[in-house]
Amino acid sequence: MARIVEITLALQGGGAHGAFTWGVLDRLLEEPGIAIEAVSATSSGAVNAVAFAHGWIDGGREGARARLARVWQRIGEQGSLASWGFASVGGSAWLLELARHMTPAQFNPLGLNPLADLLDELIDFERLRAAPPFRLHLAATRVRDGALVLFDGDRVTRDAVLASTCLPQLFKTVEIDGEAYWDGGYAGNPALAPLVYQARARDLLCILVQPLERPRLPASAREIAERAMEMAFSTTFLRELEALATSQQSIRGKLALTALGRRLQSLRLHLIEPGESLADAGGKAKLDARPAMLQTLCALGRERADAWLAAHRPALGHRSSYSIPTA
């Protein structure tokens, strides 16, 4: 029997590009030797996380695969753009431009958010809180001070997912217990801290929906704006990676370590990203929720996960397969 390796997952958010993560998870679920202890997720990553967990309750690995597929099928059928009649890529670009000049109350006066209905239909949060198959940490950004807030345990609710996915240019601010929240990507995309400091598993796998590096310099005004937005949504994650690398380097070779030091020393990092495949898709593609596009992204995720497993599956439980770049 294959040895079971317990891992934690960090799921990045990025609109419709979350379908890439769906594909990665779908492939990982075919590996019986990989067990999940905890998931930290942001924005569309949070949608994937609750679908993944809810499906697991229903039917283990196959249940998780089925629920993820169902959620993304429904997103393709009733995604926000389709619901408002802007399903085309051209419509996505027009929508983004319009949102830059209007508040959510002006742009979306009825407060429409198709994701709320989708979550009500497909995710039983009461059941998820009562018997979670693994710990969930859903990231949102507290508006009054920009702080990262992680919703876990009894705080895993529909509103927590809506907060994690709340782009303030498009949707009404989400209020929970008197606090206002926006998309978690502003403060942690994804947040590594709960997996580093609260988990037991030594293998941490980050699933990203945008490449860490883009060698080509953006030239047009649109490319510059989109790259600036990407950087804004990934800065905290990159800082966490750098802090982790610095901590591991500082304790390397030391004999007397605290429990935290031993934890940091033993942590093994892994990363799956789309590479150049999504590098030039642009911000408007993150709003392209057409079924064909989502299926393409899912297939790409499966392909990248399959390649990663072929190259790095033996590293799980033994060593990091990703080296954090340092300045």
Side-chain angles (χ1 to χ4, degrees):
M1 179 179 293
R3 183 172 63 92
I4 303 296
V5 178
E6 192 173 47
I7 70 172
T8 59
L9 294 172
L11 309 183
Q12 190 176 58
H17 286 180
F20 172 84
T21 300
W22 163 32
V24 173
L25 294 174
D26 189 70
R27 177 62 184 88
L28 292 178
L29 284 163
E30 295 176 351
E31 297 292 314
I34 296 177
I36 309 300
E37 181 195 356
V39 180
S40 175
T42 300
S43 198
S44 60
V47 177
N48 278 315
V50 296
F52 183 44
H54 189 281
W56 195 291
I57 294 173
D58 281 340
R61 295 174 184 276
E62 289 306 311
R65 294 182 69 197
R67 186 56 51 126
L68 280 163
R70 180 59 177 153
V71 164
W72 283 99
Q73 177 188 11
R74 296 292 286 125
I75 289 174
E77 294 170 354
Q78 299 184 14
S80 60
L81 297 182
S83 297
W84 296 338
F86 298 120
S88 71
V89 176
S92 301
W94 183 85
L95 180 68
L96 286 172
E97 183 60 30
L98 182 63
R100 291 191 181 102
H101 303 285
M102 303 176 72
T103 67
Q106 295 169 322
F107 174 73
N108 181 14
L110 298 180
L112 299 176
N113 189 338
L115 180 59
D117 293 334
L118 185 150
L119 293 172
D120 286 338
E121 175 188 348
L122 297 177
I123 307 296
D124 184 341
F125 284 94
E126 184 174 346
R127 189 177 175 203
L128 190 56
R129 291 190 297 272
F134 35 77
R135 290 199 305 278
L136 295 174
H137 307 277
L138 310 181
T141 303
R142 193 166 58 204
V143 179
R144 66 178 170 87
D145 58 1
L148 171 68
V149 175
L150 293 167
F151 292 90
D152 46 28
D154 290 339
R155 302 187 76 198
V156 174
T157 63
R158 183 194 74 157
D159 283 351
V161 178
L162 294 179
S164 186
T165 60
C166 179
L167 286 174
Q169 302 93 334
L170 300 178
F171 301 113
K172 180 182 177 182
T173 297
V174 176
E175 290 193 9
I176 300 175
D177 297 330
E179 288 282 3
Y181 294 97
W182 285 347
D183 193 291
Y186 294 110
N189 191 23
L192 300 184
L195 307 181
V196 172
Y197 301 110
Q198 300 178 33
R200 173 183 65 252
R202 296 180 179 181
D203 289 81
L204 193 170
L205 173 58
C206 301
I207 303 176
L208 308 185
V209 298
Q210 65 183 41
L212 283 178
E213 296 184 7
R214 292 184 183 269
R216 187 172 66 83
L217 183 68
S220 69
R222 179 182 62 82
E223 289 174 341
I224 291 170
E226 288 175 354
R227 183 59 178 143
M229 180 62 72
E230 283 184 351
M231 293 167 67
F233 272 81
S234 62
T235 296
T236 304
F237 171 68
L238 294 174
R239 293 292 178 270
E240 280 196 279
L241 283 182
E242 292 171 2
L244 180 58
T246 300
S247 297
Q248 289 183 322
Q249 288 174 357
S250 68
I251 62 177
R252 188 168 295 146
K254 291 186 177 180
L255 298 178
L257 291 174
T258 63
L260 176 58
R262 290 192 296 272
R263 166 69 180 162
L264 291 172
Q265 188 179 59
S266 65
L267 195 66
R268 297 180 285 262
L269 187 66
H270 313 278
L271 187 144
I272 299 175
E273 63 170 346
E276 290 302 307
S277 302
L278 292 183
D280 296 321
K284 64 184 181 183
K286 295 179 181 179
L287 294 176
D288 185 0
R290 293 174 297 174
M293 175 58 74
L294 299 181
Q295 288 294 335
T296 297
L297 290 167
C298 178
L300 174 62
R302 283 190 55 88
E303 176 186 310
R304 295 290 291 184
D306 198 56
W308 183 87
L309 286 165
H312 302 298
R313 177 64 178 86
L316 286 177
H318 296 286
R319 62 186 180 277
S320 293
S321 62
Y322 175 73
S323 297
I324 304 170
T326 55

PDB file of all heavy atoms in Angstrom, residues 251 254-265:
ATOM      1  N   ILE A 251      17.648  29.629  10.736  1.00  0.00           N
ATOM      2  CA  ILE A 251      17.727  28.528  11.707  1.00  0.00           C
ATOM      3  C   ILE A 251      18.469  27.318  11.157  1.00  0.00           C
ATOM      4  O   ILE A 251      18.675  26.343  11.878  1.00  0.00           O
ATOM      5  CB  ILE A 251      16.318  28.090  12.167  1.00  0.00           C
ATOM      6  CG1 ILE A 251      15.497  27.569  10.981  1.00  0.00           C
ATOM      7  CG2 ILE A 251      15.600  29.229  12.856  1.00  0.00           C
ATOM      8  CD1 ILE A 251      14.126  27.057  11.379  1.00  0.00           C
ATOM      9  N   LYS A 254      21.230  25.097  13.115  1.00  0.00           N
ATOM     10  CA  LYS A 254      21.180  25.292  14.562  1.00  0.00           C
ATOM     11  C   LYS A 254      20.717  24.004  15.239  1.00  0.00           C
ATOM     12  O   LYS A 254      19.817  23.317  14.766  1.00  0.00           O
ATOM     13  CB  LYS A 254      20.246  26.445  14.913  1.00  0.00           C
ATOM     14  CG  LYS A 254      20.795  27.806  14.483  1.00  0.00           C
ATOM     15  CD  LYS A 254      19.909  28.943  14.991  1.00  0.00           C
ATOM     16  CE  LYS A 254      20.509  30.295  14.622  1.00  0.00           C
ATOM     17  NZ  LYS A 254      19.671  31.423  15.090  1.00  0.00           N
ATOM     18  N   LEU A 255      21.329  23.700  16.375  1.00  0.00           N
ATOM     19  CA  LEU A 255      21.023  22.456  17.084  1.00  0.00           C
ATOM     20  C   LEU A 255      19.872  22.617  18.054  1.00  0.00           C
ATOM     21  O   LEU A 255      19.023  21.738  18.175  1.00  0.00           O
ATOM     22  CB  LEU A 255      22.271  21.961  17.817  1.00  0.00           C
ATOM     23  CG  LEU A 255      23.467  21.623  16.907  1.00  0.00           C
ATOM     24  CD1 LEU A 255      24.658  21.191  17.753  1.00  0.00           C
ATOM     25  CD2 LEU A 255      23.095  20.528  15.916  1.00  0.00           C
ATOM     26  N   ALA A 256      19.830  23.712  18.773  1.00  0.00           N
ATOM     27  CA  ALA A 256      18.785  23.930  19.785  1.00  0.00           C
ATOM     28  C   ALA A 256      17.699  24.825  19.199  1.00  0.00           C
ATOM     29  O   ALA A 256      17.923  26.014  18.962  1.00  0.00           O
ATOM     30  CB  ALA A 256      19.382  24.568  21.040  1.00  0.00           C
ATOM     31  N   LEU A 257      16.544  24.244  18.969  1.00  0.00           N
ATOM     32  CA  LEU A 257      15.461  24.995  18.360  1.00  0.00           C
ATOM     33  C   LEU A 257      14.197  24.891  19.201  1.00  0.00           C
ATOM     34  O   LEU A 257      13.959  23.889  19.877  1.00  0.00           O
ATOM     35  CB  LEU A 257      15.155  24.453  16.958  1.00  0.00           C
ATOM     36  CG  LEU A 257      16.203  24.678  15.870  1.00  0.00           C
ATOM     37  CD1 LEU A 257      15.792  23.940  14.608  1.00  0.00           C
ATOM     38  CD2 LEU A 257      16.390  26.154  15.582  1.00  0.00           C
ATOM     39  N   THR A 258      13.387  25.938  19.163  1.00  0.00           N
ATOM     40  CA  THR A 258      12.074  25.892  19.791  1.00  0.00           C
ATOM     41  C   THR A 258      11.157  25.018  18.941  1.00  0.00           C
ATOM     42  O   THR A 258      11.505  24.602  17.828  1.00  0.00           O
ATOM     43  CB  THR A 258      11.477  27.301  19.891  1.00  0.00           C
ATOM     44  OG1 THR A 258      11.282  27.807  18.550  1.00  0.00           O
ATOM     45  CG2 THR A 258      12.400  28.248  20.654  1.00  0.00           C
ATOM     46  N   ALA A 259       9.960  24.765  19.453  1.00  0.00           N
ATOM     47  CA  ALA A 259       8.990  23.985  18.690  1.00  0.00           C
ATOM     48  C   ALA A 259       8.674  24.678  17.368  1.00  0.00           C
ATOM     49  O   ALA A 259       8.558  24.028  16.317  1.00  0.00           O
ATOM     50  CB  ALA A 259       7.718  23.779  19.513  1.00  0.00           C
ATOM     51  N   LEU A 260       8.552  26.016  17.405  1.00  0.00           N
ATOM     52  CA  LEU A 260       8.290  26.761  16.183  1.00  0.00           C
ATOM     53  C   LEU A 260       9.470  26.657  15.229  1.00  0.00           C
ATOM     54  O   LEU A 260       9.297  26.487  14.013  1.00  0.00           O
ATOM     55  CB  LEU A 260       8.007  28.234  16.504  1.00  0.00           C
ATOM     56  CG  LEU A 260       7.800  29.154  15.295  1.00  0.00           C
ATOM     57  CD1 LEU A 260       6.654  28.662  14.421  1.00  0.00           C
ATOM     58  CD2 LEU A 260       7.545  30.596  15.747  1.00  0.00           C
ATOM     59  N   GLY A 261      10.680  26.720  15.766  1.00  0.00           N
ATOM     60  CA  GLY A 261      11.869  26.594  14.929  1.00  0.00           C
ATOM     61  C   GLY A 261      11.924  25.244  14.244  1.00  0.00           C
ATOM     62  O   GLY A 261      12.259  25.152  13.055  1.00  0.00           O
ATOM     63  N   ARG A 262      11.597  24.193  14.980  1.00  0.00           N
ATOM     64  CA  ARG A 262      11.580  22.858  14.370  1.00  0.00           C
ATOM     65  C   ARG A 262      10.510  22.771  13.297  1.00  0.00           C
ATOM     66  O   ARG A 262      10.707  22.125  12.259  1.00  0.00           O
ATOM     67  CB  ARG A 262      11.361  21.796  15.455  1.00  0.00           C
ATOM     68  CG  ARG A 262      12.540  21.618  16.400  1.00  0.00           C
ATOM     69  CD  ARG A 262      12.390  20.383  17.261  1.00  0.00           C
ATOM     70  NE  ARG A 262      11.244  20.485  18.162  1.00  0.00           N
ATOM     71  CZ  ARG A 262      11.301  21.039  19.380  1.00  0.00           C
ATOM     72  NH1 ARG A 262      12.457  21.542  19.821  1.00  0.00           N
ATOM     73  NH2 ARG A 262      10.232  21.091  20.150  1.00  0.00           N
ATOM     74  N   ARG A 263       9.374  23.410  13.552  1.00  0.00           N
ATOM     75  CA  ARG A 263       8.301  23.413  12.563  1.00  0.00           C
ATOM     76  C   ARG A 263       8.759  24.110  11.276  1.00  0.00           C
ATOM     77  O   ARG A 263       8.575  23.591  10.172  1.00  0.00           O
ATOM     78  CB  ARG A 263       7.070  24.123  13.149  1.00  0.00           C
ATOM     79  CG  ARG A 263       5.983  24.512  12.160  1.00  0.00           C
ATOM     80  CD  ARG A 263       5.275  23.316  11.607  1.00  0.00           C
ATOM     81  NE  ARG A 263       4.236  23.700  10.659  1.00  0.00           N
ATOM     82  CZ  ARG A 263       3.698  22.872   9.769  1.00  0.00           C
ATOM     83  NH1 ARG A 263       4.082  21.613   9.713  1.00  0.00           N
ATOM     84  NH2 ARG A 263       2.760  23.297   8.955  1.00  0.00           N
ATOM     85  N   LEU A 264       9.344  25.280  11.401  1.00  0.00           N
ATOM     86  CA  LEU A 264       9.818  26.022  10.234  1.00  0.00           C
ATOM     87  C   LEU A 264      10.917  25.265   9.499  1.00  0.00           C
ATOM     88  O   LEU A 264      10.960  25.242   8.271  1.00  0.00           O
ATOM     89  CB  LEU A 264      10.321  27.397  10.660  1.00  0.00           C
ATOM     90  CG  LEU A 264       9.253  28.384  11.148  1.00  0.00           C
ATOM     91  CD1 LEU A 264       9.908  29.627  11.725  1.00  0.00           C
ATOM     92  CD2 LEU A 264       8.311  28.767  10.017  1.00  0.00           C
ATOM     93  N   GLN A 265      11.793  24.640  10.264  1.00  0.00           N
ATOM     94  CA  GLN A 265      12.899  23.909   9.661  1.00  0.00           C
ATOM     95  C   GLN A 265      12.414  22.711   8.844  1.00  0.00           C
ATOM     96  O   GLN A 265      12.981  22.382   7.803  1.00  0.00           O
ATOM     97  CB  GLN A 265      13.860  23.429  10.752  1.00  0.00           C
ATOM     98  CG  GLN A 265      15.151  22.822  10.239  1.00  0.00           C
ATOM     99  CD  GLN A 265      16.057  22.401  11.373  1.00  0.00           C
ATOM    100  OE1 GLN A 265      15.682  21.581  12.212  1.00  0.00           O
ATOM    101  NE2 GLN A 265      17.254  22.969  11.427  1.00  0.00           N
TER     102      GLN A 265
END
